[in-house]
Amino acid sequence: MFGIGANLKNWIARNRYSALVQYLGAALAVWVALSCWALSAVLHRHLFVLLLAAVLFTARFLGFGPAVFCSLVSTACLDFFAVPPYFSFRIGTSADLERLTAFLAISVLAASLARQKTLAESRADRTTREMAAIVEYSCDAIYSSRPDGTITSWNRAAERLYGYTAEEAVGLPVARLAPPERRDELERNLALLNGGGHVASYRTERMRKDGTRCPILLSVSSLRNARGKIVGTSAIARDISAEKQSEEAIRRSEKLATAGRLAASIAHEINNPLEAVVNLLYLARHDSSHAMEYLTQAEQEVGRVARLAQQTLGFVRDASSPGSMDPAAIMDEILQLYSGKLAGRRICVTRRYRSSCQIGGYSGELRQLLANLLVNAVDAMADGGSLQVRVATGRDWSSGREGIRITVADNGSGIARDKLRQIFEPFYTTKKDGGTGLGLWVSRGIVQKHGGSIRVRSRADGRATGTVFLIFLPQQHEISRVA
């Protein structure tokens, strides 16, 4: 008997949406309603309600067509059992006809509404399942948390990225994912989101279960219920380790290329003191009375060579941590390194330094930034051009931060207006004969890493042409490892 029941259940499940099962189900619903009416004394006076319930049940589970069929059968049953003359399909009065017509109309309308509700619930359920599948199988780590920062959901990508299983992560505070120095950042995000604000996508750093750090691109948004009340937050984290490695490789190659472009200038600058050293040693060997004086001068020239070499190494060596640096002094070093090239093209350099100021950062990267801008300016100018550099203390009016403003201006050929928006994109270059297209892209990355901004103004037509780069570097800034 149990086997027969199980087989019948399986057959119904397989044929649930076949017309035969649907219409047999509608007839069965009417039969059940009539059975309850006949066997229960309490329900004997409520045949209309029982049949209407049968119609609603049919519409809810079997479809609108079977529900209309159920309505017609129910109306016939009412006429046969509940409307005099009983047990016949004749209608005695117009009032009875109106009652049956009203029941049929109400049944069809109720069936339509019930079916619409069923379809809406089905669509909502399907959408919910699809969204859940998208979240669960997304390549990005997605998790949600309550307003107090307790994790409430955790997808598979989050397990791979952070190393915590869903069972381990749910219930943990979100602060567990942030490095100690970034806990304030997390608290600011939570406060902003709980207050109805928005956190735009940004690069940051998070900790895995084993304590290692990973750079991520983080997007955080508020979760609201149907009444618009904030009930939590949702975060999407994308692992950008590979991207960071690629960018770092490109930056290093561009740094080496910058050092290579210095080779000609360095060779010229080093050759002069080396020739002087050779001459001074010759004089010291043949004039013993002034040998000490010649050797002192030779020592000074060797020191000059050592300083040039040290400056050159500053382009390719990264400090392990940021330190204090003087942008004006670094600008002088760059101009000294390129003095041979500037003199060879008869370019007049005007320096304007206002009050020396120390800022925190990586001096090697600042050298690379200024060298890129200087080389671009020289390449854009004809012989006899004019180059103006300015370093002064200033304020970023958008944020109110104190810092240093660096200006590099030339009277070269300028950049067309339609190309200005592209000059900071990687591999885009305006140099026809050469250029990697990475110099300004790397330069912008250096400025952003130090929390600053870079702007450009240029004019390529008319009598006065040229380009001006405006850089602001804050005096104090926490430099991120993943900037």
Side-chain angles (χ1 to χ4, degrees):
M1 194 70 181
F2 177 78
I4 296 175
N7 292 334
L8 179 62
K9 184 177 180 181
N10 293 334
W11 183 86
I12 292 175
R14 289 194 304 269
N15 299 276
R16 177 180 175 184
Y17 298 106
S18 68
L20 178 62
V21 171
Q22 289 176 326
Y23 285 92
L24 282 177
L28 180 62
V30 175
W31 179 80
V32 171
L34 289 175
S35 299
C36 293
W37 171 75
L39 298 175
S40 174
V42 176
L43 299 176
H44 197 73
R45 293 174 297 176
H46 303 290
L47 183 57
F48 279 85
V49 176
L50 291 171
L51 292 174
L52 183 59
V55 172
L56 293 176
F57 176 85
T58 304
R60 184 74 171 80
F61 296 103
L62 299 177
F64 182 68
V68 173
F69 172 73
C70 185
S71 299
L72 295 174
V73 174
S74 297
T75 303
C77 291
L78 283 173
D79 180 28
F80 190 80
F81 292 105
V83 177
Y86 301 111
F87 306 110
S88 71
F89 290 105
R90 287 185 300 153
I91 300 175
T93 64
S94 60
D96 292 335
L97 178 62
E98 290 174 358
R99 290 172 62 195
L100 293 174
T101 304
F103 173 81
L104 180 61
I106 292 172
S107 297
V108 173
L109 177 61
S112 175
L113 294 177
R115 189 56 183 165
Q116 289 178 10
K117 181 180 179 182
T118 301
L119 293 175
E121 290 176 352
S122 247
R123 286 194 295 268
D125 184 58
R126 184 172 62 252
T127 301
T128 301
R129 289 196 306 270
E130 290 175 353
M131 291 301 297
I134 290 173
V135 170
E136 184 64 19
Y137 295 101
S138 172
C139 295
D140 296 331
I142 303 175
Y143 59 91
S144 60
S145 61
R146 289 196 289 266
D148 63 356
T150 303
I151 296 173
T152 55
S153 68
W154 192 259
N155 74 341
R156 296 187 180 185
E159 293 182 350
R160 294 192 297 269
L161 177 61
Y162 293 105
Y164 294 96
T165 64
E167 292 77 12
E168 293 172 331
V170 172
L172 288 178
V174 178
R176 182 73 65 86
L177 307 177
E181 69 274 10
R182 292 187 177 274
R183 299 288 168 83
D184 293 340
E185 167 197 313
L186 207 62
E187 292 176 2
R188 287 195 302 270
N189 288 349
L190 282 175
L192 183 61
L193 292 168
N194 290 335
H198 172 71
V199 178
S201 298
Y202 69 101
R203 292 185 175 189
T204 184
E205 199 173 45
R206 289 294 181 262
M207 290 184 65
R208 298 186 176 93
K209 181 181 178 180
D210 59 6
T212 59
R213 299 177 182 232
C214 61
I216 63 169
L217 180 66
L218 183 65
S219 302
V220 193
S221 58
S222 300
L223 289 178
R224 299 175 182 267
N225 59 16
R227 293 176 294 178
K229 181 181 178 181
I230 296 176
V231 295
T233 61
S234 173
I236 302 176
R238 175 173 297 174
D239 186 1
I240 56 173
S241 300
E243 179 183 343
K244 290 301 299 180
Q245 291 173 0
S246 299
E247 290 182 359
E248 187 62 26
I250 292 174
R251 287 191 175 96
R252 287 183 179 277
S253 65
E254 178 62 19
K255 183 178 292 188
L256 292 174
T258 302
R261 289 193 293 267
L262 285 170
S265 299
I266 295 299
H268 177 75
E269 293 296 323
I270 290 179
N271 187 58
N272 290 336
L274 286 180
E275 287 183 357
V277 168
V278 172
N279 293 332
L280 289 167
L281 291 176
Y282 175 82
L283 293 173
R285 185 180 297 112
H286 292 82
D287 186 0
S288 58
S289 60
H290 296 87
M292 185 60 67
E293 178 183 349
Y294 296 144
L295 291 175
T296 301
Q297 293 179 9
E299 185 179 8
Q300 293 174 352
E301 294 297 330
V302 171
R304 180 182 170 190
V305 172
R307 286 194 298 273
L308 288 171
Q310 187 65 32
Q311 291 172 2
T312 306
L313 289 175
F315 284 89
V316 293
R317 283 185 179 174
D318 286 328
S320 58
S321 60
S324 179
M325 57 185 181
D326 185 354
I330 293 177
M331 178 67 81
D332 279 336
E333 291 179 9
I334 301 302
L335 291 173
Q336 176 64 31
L337 291 174
Y338 282 98
S339 59
K341 187 172 185 179
L342 293 168
R345 301 188 62 173
R346 302 191 307 280
I347 294 176
C348 177
V349 180
T350 303
R351 312 182 195 199
R352 296 180 181 177
Y353 300 154
R354 294 184 183 177
S355 65
S356 176
C357 179
Q358 299 286 328
I359 63 173
Y362 293 94
S363 58
E365 294 188 353
L366 183 58
R367 287 186 177 91
Q368 184 180 6
L369 164 66
L370 298 180
N372 285 339
L373 298 181
L374 181 63
V375 168
N376 287 344
V378 172
D379 290 343
M381 289 186 290
D383 291 351
S386 174
L387 174 67
Q388 296 187 30
V389 295
R390 179 182 176 186
V391 181
T393 57
R395 181 188 297 271
D396 183 11
W397 298 110
S398 61
S399 61
R401 295 178 299 174
E402 298 285 347
I404 290 290
R405 291 191 175 277
I406 302 173
T407 305
V408 179
D410 65 71
N411 63 346
S413 57
I415 305 171
R417 180 173 298 181
D418 59 338
K419 297 179 179 178
L420 278 177
R421 294 183 179 180
Q422 300 173 273
I423 61 173
F424 291 111
E425 295 178 2
F427 305 108
Y428 179 81
T429 179
T430 58
K431 300 178 182 179
K432 297 180 180 179
D433 299 331
T436 61
L438 295 172
L440 290 178
W441 174 70
V442 170
S443 299
R444 184 178 65 172
I446 293 172
V447 172
Q448 292 175 343
K449 179 176 180 178
H450 289 76
S453 61
I454 180 169
R455 295 182 297 161
V456 58
R457 296 177 182 174
S458 188
R459 184 173 180 179
D461 52 5
R463 188 168 57 181
T465 61
T467 302
V468 181
F469 281 92
L470 306 168
I471 301 165
F472 174 80
L473 297 175
Q475 191 169 359
Q476 298 293 335
H477 176 68
E478 180 182 350
I479 301 177
S480 170
R481 300 186 194 183
V482 295

